[in-house]
Amino acid sequence: MNTTGGRVLVVDDDAASRELLEVRLSALKCEVAMAADGREALSAIRREMPTLALLDLQMPGIDGMEVLRALRRDGIDLPVIVITAHGTIESAVEAMKEGAYDFILKPFDPKHLEIVVRKALEREGLKREVEVLTEEVDRRYHLVVGKSTRMNEAVETAKKAAASKSTVLLLGESGTGKEIFARSINGWSERKEMPFIPINCIGLSKELLESELFGHEKGAFTGA
């Protein structure tokens, strides 16, 4: 099984546990950084955002639960796997309520550790891919507003159309931005969560245009 890799921060006040986790994570081709307490962890996260954090709950000073609350308070979206010893499952459950992704028990089961870490990294990788694609779509289809009075009027008209439930017909020569306006109207409307499906009408024959757009009954024409 392939790992998604990534930079993982290990936070544990026990040096032996940190070293063991470093060995296990390095075997998964992860870049590993380490912190010995909650204060170091918060500093490392704010300085160089890791892909994932493994966080011991029971530490002197700022413990794991306080670190989780600080991340949540500061709006830092970081997947965290909490580390807990046997007999402290309730604390692990409480940590997940505070935003932790999952938990692992001490002593570590290598296979379970690998599965949990892989899933967390793969989930984060997919999440970041979606964010990149969303940004690309927004960039590509963002309505560029000109400074001219006519363009501002066109934008205001498009926004009014988006607020209605009426069918909208956009007319203009090729290359004037009809599809960009159409996507923007869809994005401004209550239907923005619904699919936007562009159709190249030029590629449809006159005879099949109505059928392609609105459907047809079986047998309505040859081949239907």
Side-chain angles (χ1 to χ4, degrees):
M1 183 185 296
N2 294 325
T3 180
T4 56
R7 179 177 174 81
V8 181
L9 175 66
V10 174
V11 187
D12 198 319
D13 62 316
D14 181 65
S17 292
R18 291 199 305 272
E19 292 173 4
L20 177 59
L21 285 169
E22 182 181 22
V23 171
R24 298 295 185 191
L25 293 169
S26 296
L28 296 177
K29 298 181 174 62
C30 294
E31 180 185 350
V32 184
M34 294 190 284
D37 56 45
R39 192 177 301 279
E40 282 186 24
L42 289 173
S43 177
I45 291 168
R46 288 164 179 154
R47 183 177 64 252
E48 189 173 352
M49 186 72 168
T51 312
L52 173 69
L54 270 64
L55 176 67
D56 189 17
L57 285 181
Q58 298 178 336
M59 296 183 293
I62 300 177
D63 63 15
M65 201 71 73
E66 290 182 75
V67 171
L68 280 172
R69 292 185 182 122
L71 295 177
R72 190 174 183 180
R73 183 178 62 249
D74 295 346
I76 298 175
D77 185 15
L78 171 69
V80 177
I81 298 172
V82 296
I83 305 168
T84 183
H86 286 296
T88 58
I89 298 297
E90 290 182 1
S91 297
V93 172
E94 182 64 26
M96 293 184 71
K97 291 180 180 178
E98 291 291 341
Y101 169 74
D102 206 340
F103 68 91
I104 56 176
L105 297 173
K106 289 182 179 180
F108 308 118
D109 177 339
K111 286 294 183 183
H112 181 65
L113 172 66
E114 178 181 343
I115 290 171
V116 174
V117 169
R118 283 187 189 279
K119 285 184 177 180
L121 289 173
E122 288 171 2
R123 176 176 175 269
E124 188 65 11
L126 288 172
K127 179 181 174 183
R128 294 191 179 188
E129 284 181 16
V130 169
E131 290 174 351
V132 169
L133 289 172
T134 300
E135 289 175 1
E136 172 62 20
V137 170
D138 288 344
R139 182 195 65 78
R140 183 174 179 182
Y141 295 110
H142 178 68
L143 180 59
V144 179
V145 180
K147 296 181 179 180
S148 70
T149 302
R150 296 293 297 274
M151 178 60 80
N152 290 336
E153 289 175 354
V155 170
E156 289 304 314
T157 301
K159 288 182 177 180
K160 290 178 181 178
S164 75
K165 297 184 182 297
S166 301
T167 300
V168 179
L169 175 64
L170 299 174
L171 300 175
E173 296 180 4
S174 178
T176 55
K178 295 187 296 297
E179 184 176 335
I180 294 177
F181 264 88
R183 287 183 180 275
S184 297
I185 290 171
N186 182 71
W188 289 326
S189 74
E190 295 179 353
R191 301 174 295 280
K192 61 185 177 182
E193 301 300 329
M194 302 297 289
F196 179 89
I197 306 174
I199 298 175
N200 181 13
C201 295
I202 295 177
L204 300 175
S205 66
K206 181 173 63 175
E207 292 76 15
L208 294 179
L209 179 60
E210 183 176 346
S211 172
E212 291 290 335
L213 292 178
F214 306 110
H216 59 268
E217 293 183 358
K218 186 175 181 180
F221 54 87
T222 303

